[in-house]
């Protein structure tokens, strides 16, 4: 066809040159095709993976441009361009399964980092909230637990409301005629009598189980319980907030008009001796008696029938009910849980007593404002 075109449009002198150029072009095309890899079938030309096609086997003298020319990778997903393969004339193929495996590997790496941070946070939380130590060995049954608690509450009410007033009246004293210091001393003696009566009942009920197993009613200055007490003190504002919420939820019941208490009278009078005596009552005596009964006896005894956390909650609820004040139920339950956790972590009654004393002292100082 090229020779025919040359005969029609060119002079006879230019026709042989055109025929030579046409033959040379056909030879170059056949040489080029000999260096190309076989074309894949139509069904596999565009797989779902990514593929690369390059030419590197052509000699410089035959087709110098082919060695520098390569077809960039065509992919369904945009990725960074990788380094060219060192295999000459190769056809690289990455199917969808390999891409999925690569994505899973990167996902596993990110999840491993997240698990590492989660494990670190969990370790810190375990150190703060996990209760370690061997369980208490409880040799008595629920009958003894109920007996001790009922007798303790009865003795508390009987000594404070009947025995001490009767003895004072028999001795010719009247509480109403006492000065501020006399009333403070009367409150201190009453509280000491109530506490000693409760401890006597506890000792009498547990006498048949002597000697007690190890870990019961333990007092110690050693250990890291000071840190737990400090954390408990940080929760005092939350206890105060719960007290305000409880007061707003429970309406104030109508009661007969009464005068201000002896404690409030001493605070108003600013009598330092009376205030010091009341401080001993609320910050020393009450924490000792209550912690021995509720955290020292009741909480470990309940672990015979329920897990430790449930024993802490139940003992805290009983501790709140023993104060006979519905408007202070929520803060007292929460405070009982905090003191129970401190005691369970340290296995030391001195820790819960100190925390209880600090809370009562916080309330007493708030009353003095």
């Amino acid at each position: 066809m090229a020779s025919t075109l040359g005969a029609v449009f060119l002079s006879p002198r230019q026709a042989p040159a055109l025929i030579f150029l046409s033959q040379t072009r056909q030879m170059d095309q056949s040489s080029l095709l000999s260096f190309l890899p076989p074309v894949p079938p139509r069904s596999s030309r565009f797989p779902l993976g990514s593929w690369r096609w390059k030419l590197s086997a052509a000699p410089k003298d035959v087709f110098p441009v082919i060695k520098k020319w390569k077809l960039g990778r065509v992919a369904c997903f945009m990725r960074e361009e990788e380094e060219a393969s060192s295999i000459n004339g190769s056809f690289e193929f990455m199917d969808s399964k390999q891409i999925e495996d690569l994505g899973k590997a990167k996902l596993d790496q990110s999840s491993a980092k997240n698990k590492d941070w989660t494990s670190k946070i969990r370790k810190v939380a375990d150190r703060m909230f996990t209760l370690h130590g061997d369980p208490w060995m409880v040799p008595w049954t629920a009958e003894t637990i109920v007996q001790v608690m009922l007798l303790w509450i009865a003795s508390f009410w009987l000594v404070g409301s009947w025995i001490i007033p009767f003895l004072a009246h028999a001795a010719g004293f009247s509480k109403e005629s006492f000065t501020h210091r006399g009333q403070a001393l009367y409150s201190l003696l009453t509280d000491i009598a109530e506490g000693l009566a409760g401890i006597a009942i506890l000792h009498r009920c547990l006498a048949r189980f002597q000697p007690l197993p190890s870990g019961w009613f333990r007092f110690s200055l050693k250990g890291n319980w000071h840190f737990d007490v400090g954390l408990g003190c940080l929760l005092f504002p939350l206890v105060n907030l719960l007290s305000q919420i409880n007061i707003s939820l429970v309406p104030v019941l109508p009661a007969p008009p009464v005068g201000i208490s002896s404690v409030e009278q001493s605070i108003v009078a600013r009598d330092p001796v009376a205030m010091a005596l009341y401080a001993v009552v609320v910050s020393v005596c009450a924490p000792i008696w209550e912690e021995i009964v509720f955290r020292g006896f009741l909480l470990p005894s309940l672990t015979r029938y329920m897990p430790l956390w449930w024993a802490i909650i139940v003992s805290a609820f009983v501790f709140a009910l023993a104060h006979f004040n519905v408007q202070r139920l929520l803060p007292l339950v929460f405070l009982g849980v905090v003191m129970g956790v401190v005691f369970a972590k340290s296995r030391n009654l001195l820790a819960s007593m100190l925390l209880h004393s600090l809370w009562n002292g916080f309330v007493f100082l708030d009353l003095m404002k």
Side-chain angles (χ1 to χ4, degrees):
M1 180 178 180
S3 59
T4 306
L5 290 174
V8 175
F9 296 100
L10 300 177
S11 63
R13 189 175 179 179
Q14 294 174 343
L18 181 61
I19 294 173
F20 174 76
L21 289 175
S22 176
Q23 293 176 354
T24 303
R25 184 175 300 174
Q26 292 177 1
M27 181 185 67
D28 292 342
Q29 292 177 355
S30 61
S31 300
L32 175 62
L33 293 176
S34 64
F35 291 101
L36 290 176
V39 179
R42 180 178 299 273
S43 61
S44 62
R45 285 185 184 181
F46 301 97
L48 293 177
S50 63
W51 54 277
R52 181 183 297 163
W53 186 28
K54 66 180 183 178
L55 301 172
S56 60
K60 294 182 179 180
D61 53 352
V62 177
F63 201 32
V65 184
I66 295 178
K67 185 175 181 180
K68 297 181 179 180
W69 175 57
K70 64 178 181 179
L71 182 64
R73 184 177 60 171
V74 180
C76 298
F77 304 97
M78 298 301 295
R79 298 183 183 275
E80 298 179 358
E81 186 177 359
E82 300 178 350
E83 294 293 331
S85 176
S86 59
I87 303 176
N88 295 331
S90 62
F91 179 77
E92 299 178 0
F93 175 75
M94 181 181 292
D95 57 6
S96 59
K97 183 178 181 180
Q98 292 175 337
I99 295 177
E100 184 179 357
D101 293 340
L102 182 60
K104 286 182 178 180
K106 293 185 177 180
L107 183 61
D108 293 339
Q109 292 178 358
S110 60
S111 61
K113 293 181 179 179
N114 293 334
K115 288 181 179 179
D116 185 40
W117 280 102
T118 305
S119 63
K120 290 181 180 179
I121 296 175
R122 186 175 299 173
K123 288 180 181 179
V124 175
D126 289 341
R127 291 179 182 177
M128 295 180 63
F129 300 105
T130 302
L131 306 180
H132 302 284
D134 298 330
W136 287 277
M137 295 181 60
V138 185
W140 45 81
T141 60
E143 181 181 358
T144 303
I145 299 174
V146 175
Q147 181 185 19
V148 170
M149 297 308 300
L150 290 180
L151 288 177
W152 181 83
I153 294 175
S155 66
F156 186 87
W157 171 76
L158 186 63
V159 171
S161 300
W162 291 94
I163 296 179
I164 298 297
F166 175 78
L167 293 177
H169 180 74
F173 296 103
S174 176
K175 184 180 178 181
E176 289 75 13
S177 62
F178 288 160
T179 62
H180 297 304
R181 297 182 181 182
Q183 292 180 356
L185 181 60
Y186 178 87
S187 297
L188 177 61
L189 294 177
T190 302
D191 197 272
I192 291 175
E194 292 171 347
L196 292 177
I199 292 179
I201 291 173
L202 182 63
H203 182 269
R204 180 67 181 86
C205 293
L206 302 183
R208 63 182 183 272
F209 302 103
Q210 297 290 342
L212 297 179
S214 62
W216 284 90
F217 304 105
R218 177 173 171 266
F219 295 86
S220 177
L221 294 174
K222 300 179 181 179
N224 297 325
W225 54 271
H226 309 85
F227 177 74
D228 298 328
V229 173
L231 289 179
C233 292
L234 296 178
L235 299 176
F236 285 172
L238 182 57
V239 179
N240 194 22
L241 177 62
L242 289 175
S243 178
Q244 298 176 3
I245 295 175
N246 200 161
I247 293 175
S248 63
L249 293 176
V250 179
V252 180
L253 300 178
V258 294
I260 61 176
S261 64
S262 58
V263 179
E264 294 173 338
Q265 291 176 5
S266 300
I267 292 175
V268 171
R270 295 295 176 180
D271 189 330
V273 177
M275 294 173 64
L277 292 175
Y278 283 123
V280 173
V281 172
V282 300
S283 299
V284 179
C285 296
I288 292 177
W289 316 138
E290 294 177 5
E291 291 306 309
I292 288 177
V293 174
F294 291 103
R295 253 65 64 179
F297 169 75
L298 180 60
L299 192 157
S301 299
L302 293 175
T303 58
R304 178 171 179 171
Y305 300 98
M306 61 188 67
L308 178 57
W309 274 104
W310 277 109
I312 292 173
I313 295 173
V314 172
S315 62
F317 190 75
V318 176
F319 167 75
L321 292 178
H323 285 76
F324 301 101
N325 192 340
V326 181
Q327 293 183 337
R328 296 291 186 268
L329 186 63
L330 287 180
L332 288 175
V333 169
F334 182 77
L335 185 64
V337 170
V338 174
M339 292 186 294
V341 171
V342 171
F343 169 71
K345 286 177 66 67
S346 62
R347 303 299 176 97
N348 188 0
L349 274 173
L350 193 59
S352 59
M353 286 180 180
L354 179 58
L355 182 61
H356 195 158
S357 176
L358 292 173
W359 166 253
N360 287 0
F362 172 77
V363 175
F364 186 74
L365 291 176
D366 188 64
L367 290 175
M368 294 176 60
K369 294 180 180 180

